[in-house]
Amino acid sequence: MTKKDRYEFVIHYFQQHVPDAETELIYDNPYQLLVAVILSAQCTDKRVNLTTPAIFGRFPDVESLSLSSEEELFPYIRSISYPNNKTKHLLGMARMLMDDFRGEVPMTVDELVKLPGVGRKTANVITSVIDQQPNMAVDTHVFRVSRRIGLVSPKATTPLAVEKELIRNIDKSLIHKAHHWLILHGRYTCLARTPKCRECGLQQACNYFQKNIILL
């Protein structure tokens, strides 16, 4: 199967079976999504969703968060991984938004990555989810699934390399959906240690299945 055929097969499968894929983080506005994505680093969306209602109840907007302190905020995110660093990041993020962006979450990757706690992946998530910009956030799931299936070259050994190759090969109008397709597939089917290959609808297009499973 050529790379073009593989992309067409995979995209068609997801369009048919997961047409409305979206983030599993619960949010009502860009501020809430930004907080949730920062908290989600090396933490499950489920845990984040259990934590954010109390945070947003006490800090409903950027300004209220910017006026808080580490001592006040920390107890709200104690159960999240790396709570000390994330407390500092959230406060720094909110204060920079107030000082430099009039309290609004910017919608360009270049501006977002200036914020404390926001790297390229987080910036891509925000712009893709909120504004449907053709940006591909590559987390551990997207990285693993793309390489296993064969959507990217074995030489694509960094998140940035995977991001660039996916963007080159996926229609611009579908990139914001493809991000969620690959994440959800990695989260529930193409698991890191025990992929559910026998249940997977991408067997025909998957390099990993063809090389490692089909002969078993």
Side-chain angles (χ1 to χ4, degrees), residues 135-172:
N135 296 327
M136 175 63 69
V138 178
D139 70 350
T140 182
H141 299 301
V142 174
F143 186 82
R144 178 178 69 256
V145 171
S146 299
R147 286 169 53 83
R148 271 187 183 165
I149 293 174
L151 294 176
V152 299
S153 164
K155 295 180 180 179
T157 57
T158 67
L160 182 58
V162 169
E163 174 189 332
K164 289 181 177 180
E165 197 161 339
L166 290 173
I167 286 177
R168 279 200 305 269
N169 289 281
I170 298 174
D171 186 272
K172 190 174 182 179

Side-chain angles (χ1 to χ4, degrees), residues 36-48:
V37 176
I38 290 174
L39 291 176
S40 72
Q42 295 182 291
C43 186
T44 66
D45 287 0
K46 182 178 180 180
R47 167 54 58 186
V48 172

